[in-house]
């Protein structure tokens, strides 16, 4: 089983909101999009806590199938 890192849920949400299926003509555009997404998370501490809560739930039941983990991975 793949071990989920504590920052993986945040990174998945960042990719989904900032980079997924988007074209960046320059690498600096990609960096700016990720920085903007992370700045938005900095203004939403409850959302970040919820994402890390999923990590804690995963640790509590590492062998159980979590439908929300499958949805997050997509």
């Amino acid at each position: 089983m793949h071990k989920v890192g504590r920052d993986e849920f945040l990174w998945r949400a960042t990719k989904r909101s900032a980079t997924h299926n988007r074209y960046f003509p320059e690498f600096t555009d990609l960096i700016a999009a990720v920085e903007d997404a992370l700045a938005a998370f900095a203004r939403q501490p409850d959302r970040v806590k919820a994402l890390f809560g999923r990590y804690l739930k995963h640790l509590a039941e590492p062998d159980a199938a979590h439908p929300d983990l499958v949805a997050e991975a997509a």
Side-chain angles (χ1 to χ4, degrees), residues 35-70:
E35 287 176 343
D36 289 346
L38 292 175
F41 280 119
R43 295 185 300 272
Q44 302 173 39
D46 289 337
R47 185 172 178 202
V48 174
K49 285 180 193 175
L51 291 169
F52 280 92
R54 287 186 171 187
Y55 170 72
L56 295 174
K57 180 179 175 184
H58 178 76
L59 284 180
E61 303 173 26
D63 295 329
H66 291 287
D68 55 355
L69 293 179
V70 174

